[in-house]
Amino acid sequence: MHKLEVKTKLSFAALVAALLVVAVALSACGKPRVSVRTGERVYCVYGEVLKNTVRTIQVPADEAKRYSVKRSTILCEKHRRLTEQYDQAQDALVRGDTTAAEKLLASIVTLEPTFRKASEQIRVIRSGKTPAPDLSSPGSPTSNPSSGGSSGGGSSGGGNSSPPPKPEGPSASLSGYVPDSIPGFTARPILAEDFSLTREYAPTDTTHILQLVITAEQYRDAAAAASADSRARMSYGQDGETIKIGSRTVWIGTDGRNTAGVIVREGSVVAIMEMAVTSRDPAGIKADLRSAATSVLE
Amino acid sequence: MAFALSAHFVLQTVLLNRISPLWLTAAEVVVAAVVVLILGVIAGEGTTRPNGAAVALGVGLGIAGLWLTEALVVTHRLTDAPSGSESLFFTTAVWALPVAAAASFRRQGRPTWAQWAGVLVGLLGAAAILANWERPSSFSPLVKFPVLEAWLMAAGVLWAMYGAVLARVRTVRPATLLLPAALSAAAIGAVSALLFGGPLPTDALAENLVGVVAAGVSLGFAWIAWTWIAQQRGEMKGVAPLIVPAVLLSLFALTERLGVVYGPRPLLVLPAAGAGVIALFGAAASWPVDLREGPARPTSAAKRFLLAFAVACVAVGAVALVTSRLSAVVTGELADGSPYYAAWKYIGAETAGGWMAMLFAVAFLARLLTPAARRTLILWALAGAIALVAYLPLADTPLRTWTRWLPAEVQQDYGTAYAQLRLRPLVSWPERAAVLGSAVGLIALAALSRPGIRKEGFFAEPHA
């Protein structure tokens, strides 16, 4: 009886040990099938997707590193023509030739009613006034948008010293959150996604500030933005408070260490301004960030 | 011992970046040896005349079990790589395994099945606590730095062997071995640092004198505690103090969070609390118990039924280990700026919930196979019920977030605006069934067992 009991115990032990070994081996070495996205997505600088071959495929885990989505941005034929006409219209406005300008702008809005300031300028012309020429945009007579691709939407490579094109399309409305200049910082190129813009700012002087990063994202509706707002507040929950900057009510807080964040929600847009510093002084970070956020929002 | 190990881990973390490994090891072991010497003198141990064999054994133990253990830990522990949670896991909780394994080879004080189950459950609890430190960036054992972590485990084997040798020489007083062991560790530490550690870092040692002394003192207390436990109480009582530091340091981090800015952030409090309960359950279950009452037994029919039920729970637990448990989606950017997306499923063996199902079922089976007093069975039933509650917040904890097959440039940005790892729990009925079944089984075992006949004196729990 005793021998039988010992045998039973040993059998159980062997079974359990075998199961544990198999499970440890599985968790340590097991490699699942992984769904990855691959293909190419080509955008026009005006936001339209020109080519999208992105698909999700299942691959062995070992091969998962090899796949990614290649993204490029070009100026499509249609927008190249519209840009030319728009440039000509702005030239006409500079010359004071509103008739020619109206004709060109009307031609533009027939194809794309929301193209730059075309509709607005036509309305001004038709009200009997002369609109101010749009000289600040990449499509203006003083600017010459390149048709070369720029991965990530922000690089100005290729030896071209002209500034990178401003984001257009769905995320263009977010550009107010990522201004070209913030006092005390040098702006880096904008990283444009379909519905978000991100921009890094490096401090101009050697200070305790490491960098400032602003991300503005367009959500599908206000509820989704509110949810993102709540999640973001958790990241900056230390010393958090609601403050007024200009007319906006924003959240400012820190992660308790060396990063502070300002969270701005307006409708379905959430903008997060994150500042990293070398010191561990949450209160000090907040003051620095508040000053930078004020210059952006006001 | 648990407090000493916890304090030593924290202090060593601070010092690693400031003093070169061999010199730090030397400084720590010298201070620890001084602590051992002072306490030995206070306790009057210096008045006994040690015999030559004991001194020789002590010297050998000091070099292999004390200095080399410490040197392996210090030289293979970096503050950032591996992360703190992995370092703590591989320098405390994992060491419980070789300690229990070494104890298994002894005739006296050999761990029972129930104690073994306790060790495994405790290890799971410790892993699950640490997996909730700084998630998702921190805890991924044997993924990022497998070789470094293997060395830390090797240090654990030396630590266990030190205890195993001591447990076999019970006739010699602990101090008779520890004094020469500590002094030889200090001597070899100093010599190795002088020979291979480069110039003496006078400035660094002076600047960090308080930290070095504190680290050495805590190490000295850990040595004294481990020596005394292993020799006087058996190595199995040294398992719980290895599991508990994860709980202690999490509590410490939690209190720090209230006042200062250091410590792991974020510490996911609820899952870590659940894991802490499991770790403490495992630590307590690994502790040897006495059977003064005599073993309580269920009726034969009840035992057969419970045995079949326990085996079924283990089988279902095994299924839970291979069942899909978490859905993972990684999004981020590669170095060239191109977007990256990958989705896959974690199986139960990669999560705390899956392992809890399996190990809880194993614990139930082990409890059934190990005779115990009714009071012990009632405590296990109570622990089973509490563990059932602890399972709820703990279950969805991934036991690793990094993999070897995803691009490192994406994984290193986890938790930032540039890369995200999103995990969504998937329902695993085998896991729930095994956990619930095991808890019910433990309660039923306590309820159906008749009290044993009270015996006089102390009886250790029968060996497996």
Side-chain angles (χ1 to χ4, degrees), chain B residues 353-411:
Chain B
W355 276 106
M356 188 162 163
M358 178 65 182
L359 295 180
F360 214 33
V362 168
F364 170 36
L365 179 62
R367 184 69 280 165
L368 201 58
L369 294 175
T370 310
R374 188 145 197 275
R375 195 175 49 180
T376 305
L377 295 182
I378 290 170
L379 287 175
W380 273 64
L382 196 63
I386 294 170
L388 199 58
V389 178
Y391 164 78
L392 298 174
L394 158 73
D396 299 333
T397 300
L399 292 180
R400 70 158 182 229
T401 50
W402 273 59
T403 70
R404 289 182 200 163
W405 40 265
L406 280 176
E409 69 228 60
V410 173
Q411 297 187 80

Side-chain angles (χ1 to χ4, degrees), chain A residues 90-149:
Chain A
Q90 303 313 307
D91 279 339
L93 287 174
V94 169
R95 290 195 311 271
D97 185 353
T98 50
T99 309
E102 184 186 1
K103 194 176 170 187
L104 287 161
L105 291 168
S107 164
I108 291 168
V109 296
T110 311
L111 284 171
E112 191 161 311
T114 57
F115 191 82
R116 298 198 171 280
K117 295 180 178 175
S119 294
E120 188 191 331
Q121 288 179 334
I122 286 177
R123 187 177 53 75
V124 174
I125 291 169
R126 287 177 181 166
S127 68
K129 296 174 186 164
T130 303
D134 180 10
L135 301 175
S136 61
S137 68
S140 71
T142 55
S143 177
N144 183 21
S146 149
S147 61

Side-chain angles (χ1 to χ4, degrees), chain A residues 9 12-13 16 19-20 23 26-27 32 34-37 61 64-65 67-70 151 193 200 256-257 280, chain B residues 113 120 261-262 311 321-322 333-334 336 338-344 349 355 358 362 369 400 404-406 418:
Chain A
K9 283 182 176 179
F12 281 136
V16 169
L19 285 173
L20 291 176
L26 262 177
S27 64
V34 181
S35 298
V36 291
R37 283 192 189 151
K65 277 181 190 168
Y67 295 90
S68 67
V69 174
K70 299 298 169 203
S151 179
E193 300 279 350
E200 289 182 19
R257 290 195 285 191
R280 285 175 182 264
Chain B
W113 300 121
L120 297 176
V261 296
Y262 302 101
V311 171
L321 285 176
V322 292
E333 261 181 23
L334 296 179
D336 64 3
S338 54
Y340 186 80
Y341 171 95
W344 74 100
W355 276 106
M358 178 65 182
V362 168
L369 294 175
R400 70 158 182 229
R404 289 182 200 163
W405 40 265
L406 280 176
Y418 303 102

Side-chain angles (χ1 to χ4, degrees), chain B residues 40-41 43-50 173 179:
Chain B
V41 169
E45 295 290 346
T47 56
T48 57
R49 178 186 285 272
R173 292 165 66 91
L179 279 171

Side-chain angles (χ1 to χ4, degrees), chain B residues 193-445:
Chain B
L194 281 168
L195 290 178
F196 308 109
L200 177 68
T202 321
D203 291 345
L205 285 170
E207 280 169 20
N208 300 285
L209 189 62
V210 175
V212 169
V213 170
V217 169
S218 58
L219 182 64
F221 276 105
W223 285 356
I224 293 167
W226 178 221
T227 305
W228 184 79
I229 287 170
Q231 208 192 20
Q232 301 297 309
R233 294 286 180 265
E235 308 104 294
M236 283 310 290
K237 285 198 173 175
V239 165
L242 291 170
I243 292 169
V244 169
V247 182
L248 286 178
L249 289 179
S250 297
L251 281 172
F252 181 57
L254 198 60
T255 50
E256 271 202 313
R257 192 160 145 172
L258 302 175
V260 292
V261 296
Y262 302 101
R265 284 164 189 274
L267 171 68
L268 303 179
V269 176
L270 267 183
V277 169
I278 301 300
L280 292 177
F281 170 40
S286 73
W287 199 261
V289 292
D290 72 80
L291 273 176
R292 252 170 287 206
E293 253 183 60
R297 297 179 197 283
T299 61
S300 296
K303 184 165 184 181
R304 273 198 299 275
F305 170 75
L306 286 174
L307 201 57
F309 187 54
V311 171
C313 284
V314 171
V316 175
V319 173
L321 285 176
V322 292
T323 307
S324 295
R325 191 56 186 75
L326 294 172
S327 151
V329 175
V330 164
T331 52
E333 261 181 23
L334 296 179
D336 64 3
S338 54
Y340 186 80
Y341 171 95
W344 74 100
K345 289 189 174 76
Y346 278 66
I347 58 171
E350 295 168 288
T351 65
W355 276 106
M356 188 162 163
M358 178 65 182
L359 295 180
F360 214 33
V362 168
F364 170 36
L365 179 62
R367 184 69 280 165
L368 201 58
L369 294 175
T370 310
R374 188 145 197 275
R375 195 175 49 180
T376 305
L377 295 182
I378 290 170
L379 287 175
W380 273 64
L382 196 63
I386 294 170
L388 199 58
V389 178
Y391 164 78
L392 298 174
L394 158 73
D396 299 333
T397 300
L399 292 180
R400 70 158 182 229
T401 50
W402 273 59
T403 70
R404 289 182 200 163
W405 40 265
L406 280 176
E409 69 228 60
V410 173
Q411 297 187 80
Q412 70 193 8
D413 282 340
Y414 279 168
T416 70
Y418 303 102
Q420 295 290 327
L421 166 66
R422 284 189 292 274
L423 297 171
R424 191 169 53 84
L426 301 171
V427 175
S428 168
W429 290 110
E431 183 183 303
R432 291 180 179 184
V435 172
L436 184 63
S438 305
V440 170
L442 283 172
I443 293 166
L445 176 61

Side-chain angles (χ1 to χ4, degrees), chain A residues 131-177:
Chain A
D134 180 10
L135 301 175
S136 61
S137 68
S140 71
T142 55
S143 177
N144 183 21
S146 149
S147 61
S150 68
S151 179
S155 109
S156 57
N160 188 349
S161 62
S162 65
K166 294 276 186 190
E168 291 295 335
S171 60
S173 61
L174 305 173
S175 54
Y177 294 102

